């Protein structure tokens, strides 16, 4: 009985905790040269989470390429490339994204690229490349908390099992 109760409590805790996800353009199966325009956004399905959509702000076009690096130009990485003045909107279409972290590469001293949360529930970010020769998004990582109905369903199931155990 004690082992079963411990197992149930551990399963419940694991089911209601946040999960970590990453989109890594180095390992992602998005062909080099893939173009993102305002008419054709890039939507990536992340297993266990759902979709993340990359849209261009305005009439710009972004490309998945290997122009940028973080080590002075010796190791180039796949990234979603932004030229100076370009904007990308990143929308998380699955459960609420928390602790979002963008791995921006190719930032020189004369340029900036800071993601700004523009959605009301942590689901949309805007990144502008300002100055320099452009930047790349090499990876994005985030945590997602399961939707409340899933967590409630797990808790109700565990409660029912505990109630049945205590009656017998």
């Amino acid at each position: 009985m004690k082992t079963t109760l411990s197992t149930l409590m551990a399963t419940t805790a694991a089911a209601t905790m946040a999960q970590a996800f990453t989109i890594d353009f180095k390992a992602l199966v998005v062909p080099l040269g893939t173009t993102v325009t305002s008419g054709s956004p890039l939507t990536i399905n992340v297993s266990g989470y759902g979709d993340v959509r990359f849209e261009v702000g305005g009439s710009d076009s972004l490309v998945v390429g290997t122009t940028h690096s973080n080590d002075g130009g010796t190791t180039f990485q796949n990234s979603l490339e932004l030229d100076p003045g370009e904007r990308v909107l990143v929308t998380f279409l699955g459960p609420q994204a928390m602790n979002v972290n963008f791995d921006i590469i190719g930032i020189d001293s004369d340029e900036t690229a800071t993601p700004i949360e523009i959605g009301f529930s942590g689901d949309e970010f805007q990144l502008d490349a300002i100055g320099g020769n452009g930047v790349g998004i090499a990876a994005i990582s985030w945590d997602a908390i399961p939707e409340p109905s899933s967590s409630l369903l797990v808790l109700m199931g565990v409660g029912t099992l505990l109630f049945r155990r205590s009656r017998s």
Side-chain angles (χ1 to χ4, degrees), residues 63-88:
V63 176
V64 176
T66 58
T67 303
H68 302 289
S69 72
N70 270 346
D71 60 3
T74 58
T75 307
F76 294 94
Q77 299 178 25
N78 291 5
S79 65
L80 183 59
E81 299 177 345
L82 287 81
D83 290 331
E86 290 184 327
R87 169 180 294 164
V88 64

Side-chain angles (χ1 to χ4, degrees), residues 26-155:
K26 294 176 282 193
L28 192 61
V29 185
V30 175
L32 291 176
T34 298
T35 302
V36 182
T37 64
S38 59
S40 63
L42 173 63
T43 302
I44 298 173
N45 182 272
V46 179
S47 180
Y49 174 76
D51 291 339
V52 177
R53 183 176 59 225
F54 297 83
E55 297 176 275
V56 175
S59 62
D60 300 328
S61 65
L62 308 179
V63 176
V64 176
T66 58
T67 303
H68 302 289
S69 72
N70 270 346
D71 60 3
T74 58
T75 307
F76 294 94
Q77 299 178 25
N78 291 5
S79 65
L80 183 59
E81 299 177 345
L82 287 81
D83 290 331
E86 290 184 327
R87 169 180 294 164
V88 64
L89 302 173
V90 180
T91 306
F92 295 90
L93 301 171
Q96 181 180 1
M98 302 179 65
N99 304 319
V100 178
N101 182 31
F102 286 76
D103 180 11
I104 310 293
I105 60 173
I107 296 179
D108 295 328
S109 60
D110 61 341
E111 62 191 338
T112 60
T114 304
I116 300 169
E117 184 177 336
I118 60 173
F120 292 109
S121 60
D123 61 349
E124 190 170 22
F125 289 81
Q126 172 181 309
L127 178 71
D128 295 307
I130 301 171
N133 62 355
V135 298
I137 301 173
I140 301 174
S141 58
W142 70 97
D143 297 328
I145 297 175
E147 60 182 72
S149 59
S150 298
S151 299
L152 184 60
L153 186 60
V154 168
L155 290 174

